[in-house]
């Protein structure tokens, strides 16, 4: 919810994040992750790919994302030496795939602010393509965002415009053509961390608004 770091996941919750819904429990994954935990070794790419598939499924079905799955994706990059991955959102992360994930999260929040709950939104319809072949969809999503921006009032509209402009400036002239599995996992982390960041900001704004109302009542 953006209000703080998630609590440490239990070992079997992390293992469970590497299997699909219709897959039996795999002793092989238990052994691999146990060795990673004890030896502090790099997370196997095979397990990262399984966690990524689980994350993508949860996002596209609009299900609650498991913190253990996100944590495993982040651990994969930490242990490979990614010095830019942080506990919270890193606006300056140099990877285009991370910034594309951020952008999709902002566009999804914008659509919700402009139209409310529309059922299958931007994320449910386009997450798969945006995370794998961004050039095919991201440009049109950004252009369509102008229709959503037009429905918002000044302050909120400028806030979204600023977020989109900041991310686009980091991406450069065009979107990447395709992303590898490792890049797709960074896309997922960019999306997740931007979403958590926005939730935290909304919570802060609600608190400020409530404080202002309480002061007015006191007067």
């Amino acid at each position: 919810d953006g209000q703080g770091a998630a609590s440490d996941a239990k070992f079997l919750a992390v293992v469970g994040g590497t299997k699909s819904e219709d897959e039996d429990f795999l002793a092989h994954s238990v052994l691999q992750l146990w060795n990673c935990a004890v030896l502090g070794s790099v997370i196997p790419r095979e397990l990262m790919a399984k966690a990524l598939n689980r994350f993508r499924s949860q996002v596209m079905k609009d299900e609650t994302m498991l913190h253990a799955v996100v944590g495993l994706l982040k651990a994969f990059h930490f242990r490979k030496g990614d010095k830019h991955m942080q506990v919270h959102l890193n606006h300056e992360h140099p990877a285009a795939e991370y910034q594309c994930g951020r952008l999709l999260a902002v566009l999804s929040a914008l659509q919700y602010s402009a139209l409310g709950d529309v059922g299958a939104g931007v994320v449910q319809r386009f997450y798969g393509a945006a995370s794998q072949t961004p050039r095919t969809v991201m440009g049109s999503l950004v252009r369509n965002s102008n229709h959503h921006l037009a429905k918002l009032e000044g302050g909120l509209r400028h806030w979204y415009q600023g977020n989109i402009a900041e991310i686009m400036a980091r991406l450069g002239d065009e979107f990447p053509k395709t992303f590898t599995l490792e890049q797709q996992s960074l896309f997922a982390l960019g999306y997740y961390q931007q979403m958590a960041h926005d939730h935290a900001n909304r919570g802060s704004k609600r608190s400020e608004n409530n404080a202002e109302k309480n002061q007015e009542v006191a007067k």
Side-chain angles (χ1 to χ4, degrees), residues 204-218:
S204 298
K205 289 177 182 177
R206 282 195 296 267
S207 298
E208 291 174 2
N209 290 337
N210 289 336
E212 290 176 359
K213 291 179 181 178
N214 290 337
Q215 288 178 355
E216 290 177 359
V217 170

Side-chain angles (χ1 to χ4, degrees), residues 52-99:
L52 178 62
N53 286 337
R54 187 71 182 274
F55 180 90
R56 184 187 299 117
S57 175
Q58 291 169 343
V59 170
M60 296 179 69
K61 293 179 181 178
D62 198 21
E63 297 176 345
T64 300
M65 284 170 279
L66 300 177
H67 299 310
V69 174
V70 182
L72 186 59
L73 293 177
K74 188 184 291 185
F76 174 82
H77 289 280
F78 269 137
R79 295 191 178 194
K80 282 185 63 101
D82 185 344
K83 301 184 185 303
H84 302 286
M85 183 55 58
Q86 300 177 0
V87 175
H88 304 289
L89 177 69
N90 180 5
H91 292 83
E92 299 179 356
H93 198 294
E97 53 271 24
Y98 183 90
Q99 297 296 338

Side-chain angles (χ1 to χ4, degrees), residues 13 137 157:
V137 296
R157 181 171 66 249

Side-chain angles (χ1 to χ4, degrees), residues 61-177:
K61 293 179 181 178
D62 198 21
E63 297 176 345
T64 300
M65 284 170 279
L66 300 177
H67 299 310
V69 174
V70 182
L72 186 59
L73 293 177
K74 188 184 291 185
F76 174 82
H77 289 280
F78 269 137
R79 295 191 178 194
K80 282 185 63 101
D82 185 344
K83 301 184 185 303
H84 302 286
M85 183 55 58
Q86 300 177 0
V87 175
H88 304 289
L89 177 69
N90 180 5
H91 292 83
E92 299 179 356
H93 198 294
E97 53 271 24
Y98 183 90
Q99 297 296 338
C100 283
R102 288 186 60 203
L103 181 58
L104 186 65
V106 171
L107 295 177
S108 175
L110 168 59
Q111 181 189 57
Y112 186 84
S113 294
L115 305 178
D117 188 356
V118 294
V122 168
V123 172
Q124 287 69 47
R125 288 184 291 161
F126 299 108
Y127 183 92
S131 65
Q132 297 175 60
T133 55
R135 193 177 297 176
T136 62
V137 296
M138 292 299 290
S140 60
L141 291 179
V142 172
R143 288 191 295 272
N144 289 338
S145 69
N146 290 324
H147 300 296
H148 298 149
L149 288 168
K151 296 180 181 295
L152 302 180
E153 296 183 359
L156 189 57
R157 181 171 66 249
H158 293 319
W159 184 78
Y160 276 114
Q161 286 175 326
N163 277 339
I164 293 171
E166 178 254 322
I167 297 172
M168 291 297 294
R170 299 184 188 282
L171 284 169
D173 294 334
E174 63 179 6
F175 292 100
K177 186 175 181 180

